[in-house]
Amino acid sequence: MDSPQSRKTGLNLPAGMNGTSLRLDTFSGSFRALSNLSSPSSRSSTCSDRFIPCRSSSRLNTFELIEKGSPVKEGGNEAYNRLLKSELFGADFGSFSSPAGQSSPMSPSKNMLRFKTDHSPGPNSPYSPSILGQDNGFSSESSTPPKLPRKVPKTPHKVLDAPSLQDDFYLNLVDWSSQNVLGVGLGTCVYLWTASNSKVTKLCDLGPNDTVCSVQWTREGSYISIGTNLGQVQVWDGSQCKRIRTFGGHQTRAGVLAWNSRILSSGSRDRNILQHDLRVSNDYVSKLVGHKSEVCGLKWSHDDRELASGGNDNQLLVWNQHSQQPTLRLTEHTAAVKAIAWSPHQSGLLASGGGTADRCIRFWNTSNGHQLNSIDTGSQVCNLAWSKNVNELVSTHGYSQNQIMVWKYPSMAKVATLTGHSLRVLYLAMSPDGQTIVTGAGDETLRFWNVFPSMKAPVRIQEKLMNSFNLQYLLLPLLSLGFCFKQAPVKDTSLWSLGRTHIR
């Protein structure tokens, strides 16, 4: 039965408890007691019917919504997040962050509820550059990842036997044509090796009384010139195996030949250089006299304006196409100068190499005769060839290491050192596409090496643009409006390309 007290209050109270125990003296005093129980550190509070959190005590760091206190290098993702936060919460959103070095008891030391670990890109990340400049408060430092050195295969991809290939420093018995045919002088014969199908053709046999001392293809077409031990210079059509012309004029062996667009130059042990012209009936149209010993190096510049000649007299001479006297006489070498190469990348830049007593590769500016650089290779320099695909050159060597070296110009940093020949590497030629070289030595082998990269193809426009993180954001509005980019044609250059790649 209900007691009168319970009927008065309208509450069902347990036995032994009356209404006076539930009486509140004052509202403020009771609330102060409750407030002290819930938050001992708070001395004053206000009442409200809803909860409004304070951002300064919220754990927004957990969800990556505010900046981290410690300065870090920001990459693409962090920069994008900052832009997004700025757009969503306003430019002053960062002011709500807790000061660096201070942590709230409610904020854990480590982030929670994360899908992945934070990996800020380091200095070598390709995504480290900020998309905005310093004016916007973002990190503007950009670091490019170090470029790895190009790897050159250390072994030849093909080796051919070349019986009777002479071990004579002053001869030039290997050349590669623009039609992708290799010409090789072996004893009294000249053989043609077609690179596309490995077919071997015997071009000619000089007979028991003569030997081959030099071979040289024309820059274009299928004509090949042959210098003999008796001093003759023969011109053959390699495609038809037919002799076109025989020039006389030398008293002894013609060990080096060089074509320009119209003229065939020949150097001999008789110390003379003869200029031959297929359009003229005479044996030669001019004679260049300047060396005091055998002429063993001969190269026309790519513009046909200058002829460089090297001799066993340790001299490097440069001739004008209209002059009978050398315009430059360079005497810094201390041994025979056989290795000569004109740069296809810079007009008037000439490289030359000296023999065993010299061992140096020297670079010359033929417009004023100044020596630009010199490097001691440690071995006899037998041949030099400049890559037309990249600004590098290759040298072959004799005593004492018999190595092949690839150099980067102008730093002359070594790209690769190749070994394999057991005797000095006297012969060198380059494929038409500029990627492969063939070397010959007295060990009677021809070795093919892939040393240079292919000709750089045109860069596709959209790839060049999209590789930049900055321009990605600039292109998004254009792409949304329907703009598109056409792909530039990419030139396909195979290893045994039959097409001529122009040097200039």
Side-chain angles (χ1 to χ4, degrees):
M1 187 171 182
D2 294 340
S3 65
Q5 186 69 25
S6 63
R7 286 196 301 267
K8 185 177 180 180
T9 61
L11 299 174
N12 292 325
L13 300 177
M17 180 177 293
N18 54 26
T20 58
S21 61
L22 297 176
R23 187 181 59 194
L24 299 178
D25 293 337
T26 60
F27 177 80
S28 60
S30 300
F31 182 81
R32 187 180 301 113
L34 294 174
S35 177
N36 291 336
L37 290 175
S38 62
S39 180
S41 61
S42 301
R43 296 303 178 191
S44 64
S45 300
T46 58
C47 297
S48 176
D49 60 346
R50 60 192 177 120
F51 175 69
I52 300 177
C54 180
R55 285 179 173 173
S56 61
S57 61
S58 300
R59 288 180 285 176
L60 299 179
N61 278 318
T62 303
F63 307 100
E64 296 186 357
L65 293 179
I66 60 174
E67 293 184 18
K68 299 178 182 179
S70 59
V72 295
K73 181 175 242 185
E74 296 185 349
N77 293 334
E78 285 75 10
Y80 174 77
N81 289 335
R82 295 184 65 179
L83 285 176
L84 181 60
K85 288 183 290 185
S86 177
E87 291 293 330
L88 294 177
F89 302 107
D92 298 330
F93 177 68
S95 61
F96 296 104
S97 303
S98 299
Q102 299 179 6
S103 60
S104 171
M106 302 295 291
S107 299
S109 59
K110 294 183 179 180
N111 292 333
M112 297 188 302
L113 302 178
R114 292 181 57 92
F115 288 100
K116 62 180 181 179
T117 306
D118 182 19
H119 293 289
S120 298
N124 294 331
S125 171
Y127 304 102
S128 13
S130 173
I131 64 169
L132 297 175
Q134 294 178 354
D135 297 337
N136 294 280
F138 295 99
S139 174
S140 62
E141 294 184 17
S142 62
S143 58
T144 303
K147 188 175 181 180
L148 297 177
R150 178 167 54 85
K151 291 185 178 180
V152 177
K154 297 294 185 181
T155 57
H157 67 86
K158 186 185 293 291
V159 178
L160 300 180
D161 289 327
S164 303
L165 186 63
Q166 298 187 55
D167 184 22
D168 192 328
F169 177 79
Y170 300 100
L171 305 186
N172 295 270
L173 297 175
V174 178
D175 194 34
W176 208 328
S177 78
S178 62
Q179 304 298 318
N180 210 18
V181 179
L182 189 69
V184 185
L186 301 177
T188 63
C189 302
V190 174
Y191 292 89
L192 305 181
W193 181 79
T194 305
S196 59
N197 55 19
S198 298
K199 179 182 178 181
V200 178
T201 304
K202 184 177 180 179
L203 177 66
C204 65
D205 189 339
L206 301 181
N209 299 323
D210 207 351
T211 57
V212 179
C213 294
S214 56
V215 295
Q216 182 74 36
W217 291 94
T218 55
R219 291 181 179 177
E220 304 289 343
S222 59
Y223 281 13
I224 183 173
S225 55
I226 303 170
T228 74
N229 190 57
L230 295 179
Q232 289 185 343
V233 176
Q234 301 180 9
V235 178
W236 289 70
D237 186 343
S239 61
Q240 301 181 11
C241 295
K242 179 181 178 181
R243 186 167 62 181
I244 304 298
R245 184 79 180 270
T246 299
F247 296 106
H250 287 298
Q251 300 176 7
T252 182
R253 70 178 183 185
V256 60
L257 303 168
W259 286 91
N260 67 10
S261 300
R262 304 179 311 274
I263 301 297
L264 170 62
S265 301
S266 60
S268 171
R269 183 182 275 179
D270 62 11
R271 302 173 294 179
N272 297 326
I273 301 171
L274 300 182
Q275 311 274 46
H276 312 278
D277 193 334
L278 289 174
R279 301 166 296 180
V280 179
S281 59
N282 297 336
D283 283 333
Y284 57 91
V285 295
S286 64
K287 178 188 293 188
L288 305 180
V289 180
H291 284 284
K292 301 177 181 178
S293 187
E294 179 173 7
V295 180
C296 53
L298 208 58
K299 286 289 174 65
W300 278 98
S301 62
H302 300 291
D303 57 9
D304 293 347
R305 294 183 178 180
E306 295 177 301
L307 174 67
S309 63
N312 199 28
D313 56 1
N314 308 344
Q315 292 189 92
L316 175 65
L317 305 182
V318 179
W319 309 79
N320 188 296
Q321 58 180 342
H322 303 297
S323 175
Q324 301 295 316
Q325 297 295 323
T327 57
L328 289 176
R329 189 180 294 270
L330 308 173
T331 59
E332 277 76 3
H333 283 292
T334 57
V337 183
K338 177 193 178 186
I340 300 173
W342 292 91
S343 170
H345 310 287
Q346 182 176 341
S347 178
L349 176 58
L350 177 64
S352 61
T356 307
D358 184 77
R359 305 173 303 181
C360 291
I361 300 175
R362 303 177 189 271
F363 297 90
W364 313 88
N365 182 352
T366 58
S367 62
N368 54 24
H370 292 167
Q371 179 175 298
L372 304 176
N373 193 9
S374 176
I375 182 168
D376 190 342
T377 65
S379 299
Q380 176 188 45
V381 184
C382 301
N383 292 279
L384 286 171
W386 221 295
S387 169
K388 59 187 176 183
N389 299 343
V390 291
N391 200 12
E392 298 176 359
L393 68 159
V394 59
S395 59
T396 69
H397 300 267
Y399 302 120
S400 57
Q401 302 177 36
N402 305 325
Q403 79 274 33
I404 303 161
M405 305 184 73
V406 183
W407 310 83
K408 186 178 291 294
Y409 187 84
S411 66
M412 291 308 289
K414 294 180 184 179
V415 178
T417 300
L418 310 175
T419 57
H421 286 289
S422 58
L423 294 177
R424 53 186 180 171
V425 189
L426 297 175
Y427 310 111
L428 171 68
M430 189 176 297
S431 64
D433 63 7
Q435 299 182 51
T436 303
I437 62 169
V438 58
T439 56
D443 57 10
E444 298 185 346
T445 63
L446 296 174
R447 298 172 185 261
F448 294 79
W449 315 78
N450 292 327
V451 295
F452 293 121
S454 60
M455 184 75 71
K456 291 183 178 179
V459 179
R460 289 182 291 183
I461 296 177
Q462 70 271 30
E463 286 184 355
K464 185 175 181 180
L465 294 177
M466 298 305 292
N467 282 340
S468 172
F469 186 80
N470 184 13
L471 292 177
Q472 287 185 29
Y473 287 90
L474 298 179
L475 286 177
L476 288 176
L478 298 179
L479 295 176
S480 64
L481 294 176
F483 285 84
C484 62
F485 299 93
K486 287 187 177 181
Q487 179 176 343
V490 180
K491 185 177 180 181
D492 182 21
T493 55
S494 61
L495 178 63
W496 305 116
S497 173
L498 294 178
R500 173 67 170 173
T501 304
H502 293 288
I503 294 177
R504 284 185 174 271

